[in-house]
Amino acid sequence: MAIDLLLGLQWGDEGKGKIVDVLTKKYDIIARFQGGPNAGHTLEFEGIKHVLHTIPSGIFHPKATNLVGNGVVIDPVIFKQELENLAPFDINVSESLLVSRKAHLILPTHRLLDAASEMAKGKAKIGSTLKGIGPTYMDKTGRNGIRIGDIELPTWKEKYAVLRDKHLAMIKNMKVSLEFSIEELETAFFDAVSYLKSTVSFVDSEEYLRIAQQNKQPILAEGAQGSLLDIDFGTYPFVTSSNTTAAGACTGLGIAPNRIGEVFGIFKAYTTRVGSGPFPTELFDEVGETMGRVGHEFGATTGRARRCGWLDLVALKYAVEINGVTQLMMMKGDVLSGFDELKVCVAYTYRGETIQHLPYSLNADEVTPQYKTLKGWHEDLTQMCGEKELPETFKEYVAFIEDFVETPIHIISVGPDRTQTIFRSTE
Ligand code: GDP
Ligand code: IMO
Ligand code: MG
């Protein structure tokens, strides 16, 4: 049975957590394939809001198995906190949560290195979530990393000490003023490692998934971040350190490309970005301020205000193509209610020429968006349950996007709750 993928198509925070939760009833296994606690995936149902960082978003469904794949990087301290947050919800995590032995560990010194690197960059900082993501992936690709499976080995603490000492020497050399107590950090780290060892099951996940495929179990791979934060295809260097695009699911889970079925691409009806880096359609006026306020655009992981702007269809089309998206899901259309007119970017002026693809650089001094103006709507969408109820001008907005990116929108989300989800029949 083919494995379906679900990916963010913008700069993250598109609403992946909500949609994975909504779709989980159709799947036996939900598998995260990259990123780590830089992700903040929000789920809302029965009046409660849950934010997950490492744990896949199918965890609230009793029948689903949730797998943290080899491509994910894990901070045991944050993972432990997430597991403790689940305690009131009667979830048997020892059965429903599996972790790949090949997933890499974020050490306390990876977090320190992330902070030191950002300090050293000054104004040119990436705006990282400071969760140690970049340094951990650097150690992985540099072949120095420690994997979760290592903690089952008797020599792992020696291995840990070698890497820690190397990191501490690096931090010293960076000559930034960073205050920390390594003893305190290590106490929390080792405590969390022991907790994980006794709470969740470590597996050879590629073998687990091979057998699941053989048994025809439906599997959904859950992406983190978004395509424009991809290490290769995003707005480098203002990106994260993993492949957030469809290819990342192959390497992050051990899935062959020919086993991929549907590719669900999620986007917001406008655009947001948190952290530094170019953002051609960013708004600095009261329209952007309204989007941020109505959409509660604050990072689920860091609490930082997200930058807001118009929907960029050039960037969306690029993401659709690079991922091979087969179905789109449009989130947060409800946030745009109340504007007389809406703009969508349909081309860029780049170095004096009109282009319709994502150029090498998206920097503001080289790229100016060209907009098409569409009619807005004033109705409150949040209580609407079916496509027929949606205002005509909203439907025109949807049709314009589908036409531009040549891909159908199958789900329209009109609020954060599970129930505020409209399934469209696009036939
Ligand atoms: P993720 O990282 O892609 O899972 O997205 P986040 O959870 O970081 O951010 C999405 C935010 O939008 C969360 O606060 C969600 O509860 C909220 N949300 C999701 N879908 C909708 C929607 O259709 N309308 C509104 N108003 N909020 C939504
Ligand atoms: P989810 O999965 C939005 C951004 C950071 C920063 C850049 C690099 O919730 O959509 P990192 O800590 O990865 O080194 O930071 O990437 N970033 C995200 N932005 N949503 C996320 O995840 C993000 N994860 C990282 O803000 O600009
Ligand atoms: Mg998020």
Side-chain angles (χ1 to χ4, degrees):
M1 182 164 231
I3 296 177
D4 296 337
L5 309 186
L6 181 139
L7 305 152
L9 300 181
Q10 295 161 317
W11 278 290
D13 302 329
E14 296 88 352
K16 298 174 290 293
K18 163 174 170 165
I19 293 295
V20 170
D21 172 58
V22 167
L23 295 182
T24 297
K25 54 181 181 295
K26 294 192 193 162
Y27 294 94
D28 284 1
I29 299 167
I30 307 296
R32 270 279 301 272
F33 58 86
Q34 45 68 234
N38 48 349
H41 294 182
T42 315
L43 287 67
E44 267 189 59
F45 52 89
E46 291 159 16
I48 307 180
K49 177 171 158 173
H50 308 268
V51 180
L52 299 168
H53 302 288
T54 322
I55 297 175
S57 302
I59 197 72
F60 292 98
H61 292 255
K63 287 190 192 142
T65 302
N66 290 266
L67 173 71
V68 179
N70 58 279
V72 176
V73 290
I74 295 175
D75 183 331
V77 180
I78 295 175
F79 201 172
K80 175 177 180 244
Q81 184 61 59
E82 284 184 74
L83 287 163
E84 287 173 349
N85 293 347
L86 294 181
F89 301 99
D90 198 24
I91 298 167
N92 185 357
V93 286
S94 65
E95 281 188 7
S96 65
L97 185 59
L98 306 176
V99 177
S100 168
R101 289 197 173 88
K102 292 196 173 92
H104 278 244
L105 275 180
I106 302 177
L107 309 188
T109 43
H110 282 129
R111 267 186 280 141
L112 296 174
L113 275 171
D114 202 357
S117 160
E118 288 286 75
M119 280 173 159
K121 282 191 157 94
K123 276 193 184 147
K125 72 175 183 182
I126 307 297
S128 130
T129 58
L130 302 178
K131 303 295 177 198
I133 304 297
T136 306
Y137 279 115
M138 276 165 73
D139 272 336
K140 174 177 176 175
T141 50
R143 294 157 298 175
N144 295 311
I146 298 182
R147 298 183 290 177
I148 275 270
D150 292 338
I151 69 176
E152 295 173 317
L153 307 175
T155 53
W156 101 270
K157 285 207 175 159
E158 285 141 47
K159 208 171 166 182
Y160 165 82
V162 170
L163 194 54
R164 173 203 59 199
D165 291 346
K166 182 179 163 194
H167 290 163
L168 290 174
M170 286 163 73
I171 293 164
K172 207 167 166 194
N173 272 338
M174 289 168 85
K175 297 194 171 46
V176 289
S177 81
L178 199 61
E179 284 190 16
F180 59 90
S181 152
I182 191 70
E183 292 76 21
E184 273 177 31
L185 292 171
E186 284 186 338
T187 304
F189 177 73
F190 286 113
D191 170 57
V193 167
S194 308
Y195 179 86
L196 289 192
K197 247 173 144 174
S198 62
T199 315
V200 293
S201 308
F202 302 142
V203 292
D204 296 329
S205 54
E206 60 283 14
E207 175 63 4
Y208 172 81
L209 289 176
R210 188 188 65 77
I211 294 169
Q213 287 175 77
Q214 215 169 41
N215 294 339
K216 304 210 178 322
Q217 289 187 273
I219 302 168
L220 178 66
E222 173 180 3
Q225 290 80 56
S227 298
L228 302 177
L229 289 169
D230 183 276
I231 183 73
D232 284 287
F233 300 106
T235 46
Y236 192 89
F238 300 100
V239 292
T240 191
S241 296
S242 63
N243 280 116
T244 58
T245 42
C250 296
T251 57
L253 290 172
I255 304 171
N258 62 352
R259 299 277 161 78
I260 294 175
E262 296 293 333
V263 180
F264 304 123
I266 301 210
F267 69 101
K268 281 180 191 167
Y270 50 100
T271 310
T272 64
R273 172 164 206 170
V274 60
S276 327
F279 178 178
T281 61
E282 183 169 9
L283 290 164
F284 300 95
D285 56 8
E286 71 278 12
V287 175
E289 192 270 324
T290 305
M291 288 173 179
R293 182 170 34 79
V294 179
H296 304 289
E297 295 295 356
F298 294 93
T301 296
T302 59
R304 291 177 293 176
R306 297 174 182 146
R307 300 152 64 191
C308 298
W310 296 120
L311 181 61
D312 185 340
L313 288 178
V314 179
L316 188 68
K317 191 164 186 181
Y318 168 81
V320 164
E321 280 172 9
I322 226 140
N323 290 301
V325 170
T326 57
Q327 298 184 23
L328 287 165
M329 289 149 184
M330 188 175 97
M331 315 298 287
K332 296 192 120 171
D334 55 297
V335 174
L336 295 184
S337 292
F339 294 113
D340 290 333
E341 288 184 335
L342 300 168
K343 289 183 182 175
V344 291
C345 169
V346 290
Y348 298 137
T349 307
Y350 178 66
R351 298 181 180 171
E353 276 179 40
T354 294
I355 59 165
Q356 278 200 317
H357 69 274
L358 221 72
Y360 178 70
S361 153
L362 273 189
N363 288 343
D365 57 350
E366 297 194 277
V367 169
T368 315
Q370 295 181 16
Y371 289 110
K372 162 103 181 150
T373 302
L374 301 170
K375 282 194 197 118
W377 55 89
H378 289 265
E379 294 84 342
D380 173 8
L381 309 184
T382 58
Q383 306 307 316
M384 295 187 179
C385 305
E387 202 183 344
K388 287 200 187 94
E389 294 172 52
L390 293 166
E392 272 318 302
T393 48
F394 178 86
K395 287 187 199 158
E396 284 165 18
Y397 190 77
V398 167
F400 188 85
I401 297 167
E402 287 182 309
D403 196 42
F404 194 94
V405 301
E406 297 173 274
T407 312
I409 298 178
H410 280 234
I411 290 181
I412 288 170
S413 171
V414 291
D417 194 87
R418 248 183 204 170
T419 55
Q420 292 170 300
T421 311
I422 298 175
F423 292 85
R424 293 177 78 212
S425 54
T426 51
E427 275 73 47

